[in-house]
Amino acid sequence: MIINTELEQKGNLFPGKIISFSQNVDKLNFTTDNGVILQLTILRGSVIRFRYATDTNFEKDFSYAISETGARGYSMLKVEENEKAYIITTSKISIHISKVNIHVTIYDKDDNVVCKDDWGFHWEQSHQYGGNIVKMSKSAPQGECYYGLGDKPMHLNLKGKRVENWATDQYAFGKDQDPLYKSVPFYIGMHEERAYGIFFDNTFKTFFDFCHERRNVTSFWAQGGEMNYYFFYGPDMQEVITRYTDLTGKPELPPLWALGYHQCKWSYYPESKVKEITNKFRELQIPCDAIYLDIDYMEGFRCFTWNKEYFPDPKRMVSELLEKGFKTIVIIDPGIKIDNDYFVYKEAINNDYFCKRADGPYMRGKVWPGECFFPDFTNPEVREWWAGLFKEIIGEVGVKGVWNDMNEPAVMEVPGKTFPNDVRHDYDGNHCSHRKAHNIYGTQMARATYEGVKRFAYPKRPFIITRSAYSGAQRYTSSWTGDNVATWEHLWIANIQAQRMSMSGMSFTGSDIGGFAEHPTGELYARWIQLGVFHPFCRTHSSGDHGNQEPWTFGEEIVEVTRKYVQLRYQLLPYLYTMFWEYAEFGIPMLKSLVLFDQKDPQTHYRTDEFVFGNQILVCPIQEPNAKGRRMYIPRGNWYNYWTGNYVKGGMEQWVDADLDTIPLFIKEGAIIPKYPIQQYVGEKKIEELKLEAYYCLGNKEVSKVYEDAHDGYDYAKGRFSLRSFSFTGKENEIIIQQHKDGSYITEYETMQIKLIGLPFKIHEIEIDNVVVSLESIKFDSENNIIIVPKDFTELHIVSA
Ligand code: MIG
């Protein structure tokens, strides 16, 4: 794959000098003497779109990725000109555009170079397909690091790598294998603590080279379409991500049960098997909220049908499962069986909804049902029809979520494992070939599925999971990382992928816990579930042809470990839900890789294993057999070992004990961690009390939030939510916890149980809202430093003698 630089330069065309400039409000056009136009759009002070035309000709402007609801607007825009350059200044950055070659250099307010063109924009004409192969190269200063790009199963820091985006069904993929299922052409660059981001919004096959071909250069290019990228300035890495996520869209809150534990296998059938599995979860008291039906529930793999031999009365079964707290989730694939007696096929044929080859025949491909045609999900009319197909399964049968698989799209027994390039797509009226639509196909399927599930689940919230995705898919769906393998290396990969997806705006992701292909040992399964409960999406799945993968198949010890961690996840649901709210509301990634957590500490730049779950819980998986613990880097600041309560100082690598039932976990000092009681499924119990675990710190360092609402439905959008913000102030002989409350939702519980951890003094007196209370009245447990207080206090003083 190494391309010779000279060869590559041959045939390349470069922009000439600028001959004219014009401005139309937020759009600035620079035209060169050889017909290149660079168009800048100022979206925000720190978000700039760069778009290049050749032959002075832009394509019709259309993108599936950009959200219509993202914030727009800037407070300042100044354009100046000197002999050499145009200088565009916003409140955050200034952009210099060279008059001789249209090269771009971006500076921050202190005149530091943030990002600078090397060869800049150049292109090659494509004789085979027409249009251009569009390219961009930028200087890579020494020490610059690169992150992002979706599901790449390689080191978090992409420096030295060349990667490609072309959604691919990659069964049993390996470390460093590329490309996989998703295409997220967004990366974050960071140099001298300053981070910026680039989103190359081009759905053709794209490539990114991070100092792989040339040591001081990064580049990205696409096999067609336009050079069209968005630049985001940080300097904070998290700001880069929230700005990117704001542009490409944020999800709605999922129903809380979707953040519970899910159990899946290829496949659970017949009904008696499904019942046996679900009953066993209840019997063993391992919490579980969702059970999946893989392709065998269908009649001959025909989507929207049921195999009546296995599932004679789906509606009854689904409601019986629901009575026990299990939400049923079913798989739906894109391939529609060619069968004149099949209603979905007939409707699609009659309405001309299937994809066609260049010269007119239908796109025919073999998948699970045998020979199939495939709906063109890039056609809005097709999406509308597809959404309507969920009426029965969701609206009547009562299925609660839909799982979209094979939507890269995957085709069996053909080279490339997908559609040929000539297949035609509507692309929302921008008719094109599969070269352009391939990477977006899965997202448009998930979008249509989301529309349908949402429509028929209303007034409840929808739940969708997809395998393939392009930037923006997070608006509609969660995702999983595809067909991994039951190996220790894959545990490492799963950890990386979940973190990388979080950095790429798609936090709601998890891996097949235990591995899809092959069979894990009990030990591997235990280590995987310990990590998996700290991923936003938490599901055990396996291909089923290598033995069973329910927790009890590994024996009593592993059942105990599984129960302990799944219980912990359920206790942490209010914490997890609050993280999700921060993601949905502000685009804040749910998992924070260490570099994202503390980019100013160079030690974090090449770390892969440790991450922060939410804002305050540091997690580091055990990734090898027979471990009694591991060395890990604890980021700067002070932390408490969750298991021992020991106080540790961060900023260095240290050994942490972790027997088979322990994963290293640390809580940031000053944090107040909310917990619910253990439930077997969301809603099993009335929440009688909110538990808060408050970790002492000296000074005033942390604000902790707890977001709650009805856990389903849309009342929260009308203000019916409860947002509590707690701030912790610790002194040598006193603690002050202040609470601020927002929203009109009245939580079920009346009291909060506060447990103080790491207290350096003995409690003598407690004041609630400036009134001294008797220690009995708040059930003070002096041994464990636990008190029970009315939920809506505004200030709590805890004082020593
Ligand atoms: O060709 O539906 O990644 O999760 O169990 C295999 C059967 C098709 C691939 C998915 C996997 C799923 C399986 N599917």
Side-chain angles (χ1 to χ4, degrees):
M1 255 304 270
I2 312 279
I3 295 175
N4 179 295
T5 306
E6 269 171 41
L7 265 183
E8 204 195 3
Q9 257 181 304
K10 263 189 219 154
N12 280 329
L13 300 164
F14 293 82
K17 62 173 193 289
I18 296 178
I19 51 167
S20 76
F21 160 70
S22 67
Q23 178 174 5
N24 181 2
V25 196
D26 59 350
K27 285 194 165 51
L28 315 175
N29 283 332
F30 302 88
T31 306
T32 70
D33 59 359
N34 61 344
V36 171
I37 305 176
L38 162 58
Q39 181 178 78
L40 260 63
T41 310
I42 316 300
L43 287 98
R44 304 176 65 181
S46 50
V47 182
I48 316 291
R49 179 179 181 192
F50 291 82
R51 208 178 159 200
Y52 293 84
T54 57
D55 306 320
T56 63
N57 209 358
F58 281 109
E59 289 178 3
K60 185 175 142 206
D61 197 14
F62 176 78
S63 166
Y64 281 115
I66 306 301
S67 154
E68 282 160 17
T69 59
R72 302 278 192 278
Y74 48 87
S75 54
M76 170 190 176
L77 173 59
K78 201 168 72 189
V79 185
E80 295 158 303
E81 171 179 1
N82 64 26
E83 257 167 61
K84 291 188 179 147
Y86 287 91
I87 299 161
I88 297 108
T89 308
T90 74
S91 57
K92 299 281 165 65
I93 50 176
S94 66
I95 303 154
H96 292 228
I97 298 175
S98 158
K99 287 186 174 171
V100 289
N101 54 14
I102 218 169
H103 281 185
V104 172
T105 309
I106 300 173
Y107 297 85
D108 69 6
K109 288 282 146 190
D110 301 322
D111 280 336
N112 297 303
V113 172
V114 180
C115 185
K116 180 182 185 315
D117 281 356
D118 172 58
W119 292 342
F121 171 60
H122 52 294
W123 74 100
E124 232 179 282
Q125 288 173 356
S126 169
H127 299 293
Q128 198 178 354
Y129 297 103
N132 297 325
I133 297 161
V134 292
K135 310 177 189 183
M136 172 60 64
S137 69
K138 302 205 170 270
S139 309
Q142 220 193 339
E144 192 164 71
C145 298
Y146 307 95
Y147 307 92
L149 277 155
D151 62 352
K152 308 287 176 212
M154 52 192 72
H155 198 289
L156 270 183
N157 188 336
L158 293 166
K159 180 153 198 155
K161 306 260 196 262
R162 172 180 285 194
V163 296
E164 125 185 22
N165 292 315
W166 183 252
T168 306
D169 175 5
Q170 212 54 277
Y171 173 79
F173 59 90
K175 182 169 182 249
D176 289 319
Q177 190 160 349
D178 182 55
L180 300 186
Y181 307 88
K182 301 179 179 73
S183 303
V184 185
F186 164 67
Y187 74 91
I188 304 152
M190 187 180 65
H191 179 233
E192 289 174 348
E193 300 171 6
R194 283 184 295 278
Y196 63 90
I198 287 186
F199 170 42
F200 182 21
D201 186 12
N202 182 313
T203 55
F204 284 82
K205 186 183 279 184
T206 53
F207 297 84
F208 288 78
D209 184 302
F210 300 104
C211 314
H212 173 84
E213 183 184 328
R214 288 194 288 154
R215 196 152 48 90
N216 303 317
V217 177
T218 62
S219 54
F220 49 94
W221 64 100
Q223 289 185 337
E226 277 181 356
M227 176 47 61
N228 167 35
Y229 74 90
Y230 294 80
F231 174 86
F232 311 88
Y233 177 59
D236 197 50
M237 203 165 151
Q238 183 154 305
E239 293 280 308
V240 173
I241 297 168
T242 55
R243 285 177 186 138
Y244 163 77
T245 309
D246 194 51
L247 184 76
T248 57
K250 293 173 287 211
E252 294 171 13
L253 280 172
L256 184 62
W257 64 259
L259 300 180
Y261 172 75
H262 301 209
Q263 182 68 32
C264 188
K265 178 185 165 166
W266 180 16
S267 289
Y268 289 132
Y269 68 87
E271 173 174 345
S272 58
K273 185 75 191 173
V274 176
K275 293 277 179 62
E276 178 195 320
I277 298 292
T278 50
N279 289 338
K280 191 85 177 169
F281 272 95
R282 295 296 178 251
E283 180 193 320
L284 293 174
Q285 295 279 289
I286 301 170
C288 183
D289 258 284
I291 185 85
Y292 284 64
L293 303 181
D294 206 328
I295 48 178
D296 300 285
Y297 81 91
M298 303 179 211
E299 178 61 49
F301 306 118
R302 289 171 190 81
C303 292
F304 306 100
T305 69
W306 291 84
N307 178 318
K308 287 291 167 87
E309 195 185 312
Y310 299 153
F311 299 102
D313 187 353
K315 185 172 176 172
R316 178 192 41 75
M317 177 186 76
V318 166
S319 79
E320 285 168 4
L321 289 170
L322 192 61
E323 271 166 37
K324 300 218 162 135
F326 287 95
K327 273 60 75 179
T328 305
I329 297 174
V330 300
I331 199 167
I332 290 284
D333 287 351
I336 299 300
K337 188 177 179 68
I338 301 175
D339 170 2
N340 271 313
D341 294 325
Y342 170 34
F343 77 105
V344 179
Y345 173 80
K346 280 194 294 190
E347 284 179 27
I349 282 285
N350 291 340
N351 292 298
D352 201 12
Y353 289 160
F354 287 127
C355 295
K356 289 185 186 140
R357 303 292 300 266
D359 299 320
Y362 287 113
M363 164 58 216
R364 174 191 287 267
K366 205 178 149 223
V367 261
W368 291 106
E371 297 286 322
C372 284
F373 293 158
F374 300 82
D376 182 9
F377 295 105
T378 71
N379 179 340
E381 205 184 314
V382 174
R383 289 198 298 272
E384 180 56 29
W385 162 73
W386 185 259
L389 291 172
F390 289 93
K391 181 164 197 276
E392 188 182 318
I393 210 165
I394 303 293
E396 286 156 33
V397 178
V399 163
K400 294 283 182 257
V402 173
W403 172 22
N404 283 166
D405 186 22
M406 305 288 280
N407 54 355
E408 291 69 28
V411 179
M412 294 166 173
E413 297 165 18
V414 293
K417 301 188 275 193
T418 191
F419 295 0
N421 278 334
D422 68 87
V423 170
R424 304 293 299 159
H425 292 272
D426 183 79
Y427 213 94
D428 281 61
N430 306 278
H431 300 197
C432 67
S433 79
H434 196 64
R435 295 171 66 238
K436 180 171 174 177
H438 176 82
N439 281 336
I440 199 75
Y441 186 85
T443 299
Q444 295 313 305
M445 178 187 186
R447 174 186 180 182
T449 302
Y450 159 82
E451 299 289 351
V453 178
K454 183 169 174 166
R455 187 176 306 164
F456 300 111
Y458 192 84
K460 302 273 197 206
R461 304 175 194 165
F463 174 71
I464 315 299
I465 174 163
T466 186
R467 192 168 71 176
S468 186
Y470 181 79
S471 297
Q474 68 270 12
R475 303 203 291 272
Y476 318 114
T477 178
S478 65
S479 74
W480 91 105
T481 57
D483 295 342
N484 59 2
V485 188
T487 62
W488 290 95
E489 185 171 78
H490 263 274
L491 183 56
W492 180 89
I493 293 174
N495 183 16
I496 298 267
Q497 287 185 305
Q499 291 181 57
R500 194 192 294 292
M501 288 293 283
S502 259
M503 288 194 226
S504 307
M506 295 186 188
S507 284
F508 199 5
T509 302
S511 64
D512 284 352
I513 294 174
F516 178 73
E518 297 176 28
H519 196 241
T521 59
E523 185 188 14
L524 176 58
Y525 183 79
R527 292 308 194 182
W528 209 316
I529 196 90
Q530 288 171 348
L531 172 65
V533 299
F534 294 104
H535 286 166
F537 177 67
C538 179
R539 179 184 76 164
T540 293
H541 182 38
S542 67
S543 64
D545 49 2
H546 307 271
N548 294 329
Q549 206 156 302
E550 295 81 35
W552 51 88
T553 57
F554 304 104
E556 186 50 32
E557 191 187 9
I558 304 305
V559 166
E560 268 163 35
V561 175
T562 306
R563 185 188 299 120
K564 171 174 167 180
Y565 283 88
V566 178
Q567 285 180 345
L568 178 59
R569 182 171 175 105
Y570 276 72
Q571 289 179 295
L572 287 172
L573 279 175
Y575 179 87
L576 180 55
Y577 198 49
T578 303
M579 274 161 69
F580 208 112
W581 170 76
E582 290 193 323
Y583 167 49
E585 189 73 15
F586 308 111
I588 296 173
M590 291 174 72
L591 305 184
K592 294 170 188 76
S593 304
L594 283 204
V595 61
L596 181 53
F597 184 74
D598 186 3
Q599 74 192 54
K600 295 199 168 143
D601 174 4
Q603 294 288 328
T604 65
H605 297 181
Y606 279 88
R607 302 299 307 187
T608 51
D609 298 355
E610 308 85 352
F611 65 95
V612 177
F613 173 70
N615 301 315
Q616 298 162 325
I617 303 181
L618 173 67
V619 183
C620 185
I622 299 292
Q623 297 171 146
E624 52 183 40
N626 304 315
K628 294 263 160 232
R630 62 165 291 161
R631 285 190 74 76
M632 64 176 278
Y633 186 72
I634 303 198
R636 299 186 301 183
N638 299 313
W639 301 80
Y640 288 86
N641 183 316
Y642 177 79
W643 304 110
T644 63
N646 288 346
Y647 188 68
V648 297
K649 220 177 132 39
M652 57 191 143
E653 247 197 46
Q654 21 197 301
W655 172 266
V656 179
D657 289 331
D659 277 331
L660 184 59
D661 69 342
T662 305
I663 180 174
L665 287 185
F666 293 85
I667 313 290
K668 203 172 166 193
E669 68 169 354
I672 295 181
I673 307 289
K675 281 185 174 173
Y676 281 165
I678 292 166
Q679 307 178 74
Q680 297 310 304
Y681 56 91
V682 166
E684 184 202 22
K685 291 185 183 153
K686 180 165 181 252
I687 310 296
E688 306 274 5
E689 197 159 74
L690 182 69
K691 282 201 173 103
L692 298 176
E693 293 176 352
Y695 289 82
Y696 177 84
C697 78
L698 196 55
N700 180 341
K701 297 210 183 91
E702 267 310 281
V703 174
S704 305
K705 296 194 169 151
V706 183
Y707 172 89
E708 295 169 285
D709 60 18
H711 296 157
D712 205 335
Y714 294 94
D715 278 358
Y716 73 95
K718 299 178 219 140
R720 304 245 312 144
F721 62 86
S722 154
L723 176 62
R724 302 173 190 279
S725 304
F726 298 100
S727 66
F728 189 104
T729 309
K731 301 181 183 166
E732 298 216 326
N733 48 15
E734 189 183 357
I735 289 173
I736 304 162
I737 297 176
Q738 287 167 312
Q739 174 175 211
H740 174 81
K741 211 186 154 277
D742 263 329
S744 63
Y745 182 73
I746 315 277
T747 51
E748 295 186 291
Y749 52 86
E750 291 299 332
T751 54
M752 294 189 199
Q753 186 202 83
I754 303 181
K755 179 172 181 180
L756 298 149
I757 295 151
L759 211 60
F761 57 80
K762 267 200 149 39
I763 297 175
H764 177 69
E765 187 178 282
I766 294 180
E767 274 177 29
I768 301 177
D769 299 339
N770 294 317
V771 179
V772 178
V773 295
S774 81
L775 294 179
E776 298 93 79
S777 73
I778 54 164
K779 303 201 174 112
F780 177 50
D781 166 353
S782 59
E783 197 148 324
N784 301 303
N785 284 324
I786 294 175
I787 57 175
I788 294 174
V789 301
K791 65 176 172 180
D792 291 332
F793 72 86
T794 53
E795 192 165 293
L796 209 65
H797 276 247
I798 299 162
V799 188
S800 88

